[in-house]
């Protein structure tokens, strides 16, 4: 992790809006070949088994929220749609725990940043991350032991 800190105003939660079994390789290929992005969509991705993979140093800008990326750290879970491609919160317990821990860590690192979902930004017409981030954080009960 680099010591160069950007001025982070938002810690933003996303979903990949893919089936839950989508591989990171195919997501990366889509970013690179279809969207022609040089940098990944998110700094962190949360796999189905709860593993957190860092895709980009926090000092670099990822492609999570159009118009806001210079002040965002973006994280995402794999999933977020059902088999008909409709938004659904299909995080499992391992992903919820990992996401909560990652948000706690980022909040400590960027104490002034707001934690929000992609859909909480103005003019966003998607359901990403397919759940209400503030409500989830308020009701989340960390696993003990
Ligand atoms: Zn998003």
């Amino acid at each position: 992790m680099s010591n160069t800190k950007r001025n982070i105003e938002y810690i933003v939660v996303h979903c990949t809006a893919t089936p839950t079994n989508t591989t990171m390789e195919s997501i990366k290929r889509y970013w690179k070949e279809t969207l022609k992005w040089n940098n990944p969509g998110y700094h962190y991705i949360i796999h189905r088994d709860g593993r957190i993979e860092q895709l980009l140093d926090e000092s670099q800008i990822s492609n999570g929220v159009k118009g806001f990326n210079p002040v965002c750290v973006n994280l995402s879970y794999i999933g977020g749609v059902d088999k008909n491609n409709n938004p659904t919160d299909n995080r499992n317990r391992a992903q919820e725990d990992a996401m909560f821990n990652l948000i706690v860590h980022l909040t400590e690192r960027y104490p002034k940043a707001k934690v929000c979902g992609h859909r909480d930004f103005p003019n966003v017409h998607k359901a990403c991350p397919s759940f209400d981030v503030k409500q989830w954080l308020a009701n989340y009960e960390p696993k003990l032991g």
Side-chain angles (χ1 to χ4, degrees):
M1 211 175 281
S2 156
N3 288 322
T4 322
K5 276 199 190 180
R6 289 183 290 130
N7 178 29
I8 297 302
E9 295 177 26
Y10 303 100
I11 296 161
V12 190
V13 180
H14 299 265
C15 62
T16 54
T18 64
T20 54
N21 61 356
T22 302
T23 65
M24 210 46 239
E25 287 64 39
S26 74
I27 294 169
K28 283 180 179 166
R29 204 179 314 120
Y30 175 73
W31 287 339
K32 200 169 190 146
E33 292 171 12
T34 307
L35 300 177
K36 312 282 181 203
W37 287 351
N38 290 320
N39 279 353
Y42 323 109
H43 294 87
Y44 296 97
I45 194 103
I46 299 167
H47 289 268
R48 291 303 285 176
D49 61 2
R51 186 168 52 91
I52 297 170
E53 183 181 354
Q54 183 163 19
L55 303 175
L56 188 68
D57 192 277
E58 289 168 27
S59 64
Q60 306 283 306
I61 296 171
S62 63
N63 289 300
V65 188
K66 205 174 181 188
F68 289 88
N69 286 311
V71 293
C72 291
V73 169
N74 293 295
L75 62 105
S76 179
Y77 68 100
I78 293 185
V81 292
D82 66 17
K83 60 182 189 305
N84 299 316
N85 234 22
N86 293 315
T88 188
D89 179 6
N90 50 16
R91 289 171 301 162
N92 58 34
R93 186 68 207 215
Q95 285 178 307
E96 282 197 58
D97 286 336
M99 182 178 284
F100 187 81
N101 291 336
L102 179 56
I103 289 172
V104 167
H105 165 79
L106 291 172
T107 306
E108 283 165 0
R109 192 163 153 79
Y110 305 105
K112 289 184 199 141
K114 284 196 193 85
V115 181
C116 54
H118 187 180
R119 69 185 189 185
D120 299 327
F121 284 83
N123 304 314
V124 173
H125 305 290
K126 10 178 154 183
C128 179
S130 301
F131 67 97
D132 185 322
V133 172
K134 282 193 185 77
Q135 206 179 1
W136 171 69
L137 283 174
N139 294 310
Y140 180 81
E141 290 175 22
K143 180 175 65 190
L144 298 175

